[in-house]
């Protein structure tokens, strides 16, 4: 009867609430509608639910292959709207575009229209990409993939080896899918970002080991490690990351995102250069949970050029930082910058058997710690820390305010600061504590408001050599 009415009266048929109990696959095959209306339960939080994304994508693929169109019901947020557009639905229905009304609408809200247009443009660009799916252990040649016109690799396998050539730059992005645990060997790989996507994108819940062999480079966009993801970088090779953009990062995520766990155990050299408005060399915007940032072994050359930048750490949150047996050389050229630490969060920094050299110029600067009220603990053992910073407000080792502990044992510390207000160690409000045990300490401050030790009445604990201090000399 339905099919006869369709033909006789030139009617179209839509299956409503597909995906719920009554609108099932049998109904779809029996009725063969022109439009499939996806139930709102499938659309709710689809931007955050990968299982729903896969299921909806399979429905859309089936519909396209059978000349059917798809409507997404219950689109209530911008994120849901963007996701269903990426999945290529044909129509949208929901509170985000318009609420039910007795009156016909001449048009939708201008801002909503902008989102729809911009996401369609972005989605069309992404759909022009040709993606190779690595679903089983394999050895891939970037040159061969390029000859076959691939510009992306999706990883769902536990092991993968990618072969490059130092003379060949591949416009290629690697995406490790959510929840995948894998090891990826990179051999002389040179990657350049495609469509403003990360060169290596690690999905939420994924645990990835990157093994660096030879000389590998990553340009334009870095290694994306969102909250819930883990990355470990190992190997004897050298890795260079050179990223640019308004919101850029080397390893981690942007300043508006939450970061995952980062473990660097490279025995070779890592060079990270970031240049943008808000820039993070290693770390992220916010830290909520995970294992923080752990660095053991290797040499690191970090350069941050930015209006607002972080060398290693995060903007918000209490990210734990643990550095052992490593050499780090860092330069900040910023308006506001943090070398090592949590910008607005409790400090948790531990260094052991290390050499760390931080140089910076700008307005509001901190070497290790933060130029904001904070607190926490900075501990150093068996190593060398040098900071040379020139700015308006400068903190070399410590925080602006709060109960901040600085503990050094068997170390060498050389601190040089120039600016209107400069703190060498502790907390600028005088609530810090400083303990120096067998530490060779050299402090030089040129400032209108110099503070050598930000502790109650400037008192600190010293066992062994007494600090050498030069104030405005």
């Amino acid at each position: 009867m339905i099919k006869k009415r369709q033909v006789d009266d030139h009617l179209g048929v839509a299956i409503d609430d597909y995906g719920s109990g009554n609108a099932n696959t049998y109904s779809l095959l029996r009725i063969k509608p022109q439009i499939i209306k996806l139930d709102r339960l499938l659309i709710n939080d689809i931007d955050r639910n990968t299982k729903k994304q896969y299921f909806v994508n399979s429905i859309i693929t089936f519909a396209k292959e059978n000349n059917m169109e798809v409507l997404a019901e219950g689109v209530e947020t911008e994120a849901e709207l963007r996701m269903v557009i990426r999945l290529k639905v044909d129509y949208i229905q929901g509170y985000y575009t318009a609420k039910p009304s007795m009156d016909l609408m001449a048009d939708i809200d201008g801002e909503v229209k902008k989102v729809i247009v911009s996401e369609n443009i972005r989605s069309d660009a992404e759909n022009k990409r040709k993606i190779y799916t690595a679903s089983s252990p394999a050895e891939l040649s970037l040159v061969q993939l390029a000859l076959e016109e691939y510009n992306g690799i999706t990883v769902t396998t536990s092991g993968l080896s990618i072969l490059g050539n130092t003379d060949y730059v591949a416009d290629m992005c690697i995406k490790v899918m959510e929840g995948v645990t894998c090891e990826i060997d990179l051999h002389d790989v040179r990657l350049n970002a495609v469509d403003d996507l990360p060169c290596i994108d690690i999905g939420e819940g994924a645990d990835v080991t990157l093994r660096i062999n030879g000389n590998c480079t990553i340009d334009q966009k870095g290694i994306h490690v969102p909250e819930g993801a883990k990355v470990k970088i190992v190997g004897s090779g050298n890795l260079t990351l050179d990223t640019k953009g308004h919101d850029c990062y080397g390893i981690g995520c942007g300043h508006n995102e939450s970061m995952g766990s980062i473990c660097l155990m490279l025995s070779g050299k890592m060079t990270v250069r970031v240049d943008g408005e808000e820039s993070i060399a290693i770390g992220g915007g916010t830290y909520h949970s995970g294992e923080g940032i752990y660095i053991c072994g290797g040499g690191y050359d970090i350069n941050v050029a930015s209006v607002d930048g972080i060398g290693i750490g995060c903007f918000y949150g209490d990210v734990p930082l643990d550095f052992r047996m490593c050499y780090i050389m860092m330069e900040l050229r910023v308006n506001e910058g943090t070398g090592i630490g949590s910008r607005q969060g409790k400090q948790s920094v531990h260094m052991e058997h290390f050499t760390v050299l931080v140089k910076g110029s700008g307005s509001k600067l901190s070497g290790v710690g933060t130029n904001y009220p904070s607190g926490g603990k900075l501990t150093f053992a068996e190593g060398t820390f040098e900071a040379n910073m020139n700015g308006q407000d400068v903190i070399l080792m410590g925080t602006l305010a709060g109960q901040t502990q600085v503990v050094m044992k068997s170390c060498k510390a050389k601190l040089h600061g120039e600016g209107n207000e400069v703190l060498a160690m502790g907390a600028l409000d005088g609530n810090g504590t400083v303990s120096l045990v067998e530490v060779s300490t050299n402090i030089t401050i040129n400032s209108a408001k110099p503070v050598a030790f930000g502790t109650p009445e400037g008192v600190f604990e010293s066992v062994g050599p007494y600090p050498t201090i030069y104030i405005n000399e």
Side-chain angles (χ1 to χ4, degrees):
M1 178 66 71
I2 293 177
K3 291 181 180 179
K4 186 175 185 306
R5 288 288 305 274
Q6 284 182 263
V7 175
D8 293 346
D9 298 333
H10 305 286
L11 298 176
V13 173
I15 284 191
D16 197 20
D17 300 330
Y18 185 79
S20 65
N22 294 325
N24 53 33
T25 304
Y26 175 73
S27 300
L28 184 66
L29 296 173
R30 180 172 60 88
I31 298 172
K32 296 181 180 178
Q34 280 69 52
I35 299 176
I36 303 171
K37 297 181 68 176
L38 299 176
D39 189 80
R40 67 177 302 275
L41 293 178
L42 292 177
I43 305 304
N44 182 45
D45 288 332
I46 192 172
D47 55 297
R48 294 181 291 175
N49 190 318
T50 55
K51 291 182 179 179
K52 287 186 178 182
Q53 292 170 24
Y54 291 137
F55 183 55
V56 169
N57 183 63
S58 67
I59 296 171
I60 293 172
T61 299
F62 174 85
K64 302 300 183 187
E65 291 175 351
N66 291 274
N67 298 315
M68 303 175 188
E69 294 181 308
V70 179
L71 181 148
E73 298 179 357
V75 177
E76 297 186 354
T77 68
E78 179 180 330
E80 290 172 355
L81 173 66
R82 290 185 179 276
M83 179 53 67
V84 296
I85 290 175
R86 289 176 206 166
L87 293 172
K88 307 305 284 185
V89 299
D90 299 288
Y91 305 106
I92 296 162
Q93 173 185 317
Y95 281 9
Y96 184 75
T97 51
K99 294 186 177 181
S101 171
M102 295 295 293
D103 301 320
L104 292 175
M105 294 181 61
D107 204 351
I108 62 174
D109 181 79
E111 292 303 313
V112 175
K113 186 185 293 186
K114 287 181 182 178
V115 173
I116 293 173
V117 171
S118 66
E119 192 57 45
N120 270 288
I121 292 172
R122 174 187 172 93
S123 181
D124 287 344
E126 289 185 357
N127 286 332
K128 293 176 182 177
R129 301 177 61 219
K130 186 177 179 182
I131 309 299
Y132 180 92
T133 299
S135 57
S136 60
E139 185 175 273
L140 303 179
S141 166
L142 288 179
V143 173
Q144 185 61 39
L145 288 174
L147 290 173
E148 296 175 14
E149 300 183 346
Y150 287 102
N151 54 14
I153 302 171
T154 296
V155 181
T156 61
T157 183
S158 60
L160 188 65
S161 183
I162 301 178
L163 308 181
N165 188 312
T166 54
D167 295 325
Y168 172 69
V169 179
D171 293 331
M172 186 77 64
C173 294
I174 301 170
K175 168 67 176 180
V176 180
M177 297 305 292
E178 290 78 1
V180 171
T181 297
C182 67
E183 179 169 323
I184 301 175
D185 284 8
L186 302 178
H187 299 262
D188 290 320
V189 165
R190 298 184 65 186
L191 299 177
N192 189 63
V194 178
D195 294 335
D196 208 34
L197 298 172
C199 283
I200 300 178
D201 190 2
I202 299 173
E204 183 179 344
D207 189 343
V208 179
T209 298
L210 297 176
R211 185 172 298 278
I212 308 301
N213 303 276
N215 294 300
C216 297
T217 64
I218 291 175
D219 287 334
Q220 301 303 319
K221 300 297 176 182
I223 300 173
H224 186 226
V225 190
E227 184 176 6
K230 296 180 181 180
V231 66
K232 179 191 290 185
I233 301 180
V234 301
S236 58
N238 302 315
L239 176 62
T240 298
L241 300 104
D242 196 341
T243 69
K244 300 177 178 65
H246 173 79
D247 180 11
C248 68
Y249 54 88
I251 304 172
C253 63
H255 80 290
N256 285 324
E257 296 182 83
S258 296
M259 60 175 283
S261 302
I262 300 172
C263 177
L264 306 179
M265 302 181 69
L266 196 66
S267 60
K269 180 180 179 181
M270 180 180 293
T271 301
V272 184
R273 294 186 288 266
V274 289
D275 187 347
E277 293 292 318
E278 288 88 16
S279 302
I280 305 162
I282 301 172
T286 303
Y287 176 82
H288 292 300
S289 62
E291 300 169 12
I293 301 174
Y294 177 73
I295 300 177
C296 182
Y300 301 83
D301 188 347
I302 297 171
N303 192 297
V304 179
S306 180
V307 175
D308 196 357
I310 302 253
I312 305 175
C314 69
F315 281 97
Y316 308 98
D318 310 335
V319 60
L321 307 175
D322 192 346
F323 306 159
R324 299 168 188 261
M325 296 180 290
C326 58
Y327 178 95
I328 299 173
M329 184 168 62
M330 181 183 301
E331 182 173 4
L332 307 175
R333 291 174 288 126
V334 297
N335 177 59
E336 184 173 345
T338 299
I340 298 169
S342 300
R343 171 70 60 79
Q344 296 189 45
K346 189 175 181 180
Q347 306 304 307
S348 176
V349 180
H350 177 78
M351 302 186 192
E352 189 173 328
H353 298 287
F354 65 94
T355 298
V356 175
L357 313 176
V358 181
K359 181 180 180 181
S361 60
S363 178
K364 195 171 185 177
L365 301 169
S366 58
V368 57
T370 179
N371 215 315
Y372 284 81
S374 177
K377 190 171 185 179
L378 313 174
T379 61
F380 309 82
E382 303 284 346
T384 297
F385 181 85
E386 295 187 11
N388 188 337
M389 314 202 83
N390 188 332
Q392 181 69 16
D393 301 311
V394 175
I395 290 177
L396 299 169
M397 183 185 288
T399 66
L400 181 67
Q403 296 180 346
T404 304
Q405 301 178 59
V406 177
V407 179
M408 303 191 79
K409 296 180 180 180
S410 303
C411 290
K412 177 182 177 181
K414 185 176 181 179
L415 308 177
H416 182 107
E418 296 188 17
N420 177 59
E421 191 168 42
V422 177
L423 167 71
M425 293 182 176
L428 193 59
D429 68 348
N431 287 321
T433 61
V434 176
S435 174
L436 306 174
V437 178
E438 299 299 332
V439 178
S440 172
T441 309
N442 186 298
I443 297 173
T444 302
I445 299 177
N446 294 311
S447 173
K449 300 176 182 178
V451 178
F453 297 100
T455 60
E457 299 181 356
V459 177
F460 60 93
E461 177 189 359
S462 178
V463 177
Y466 197 81
T468 301
I469 304 172
Y470 302 95
I471 305 293
N472 295 328
E473 292 186 14

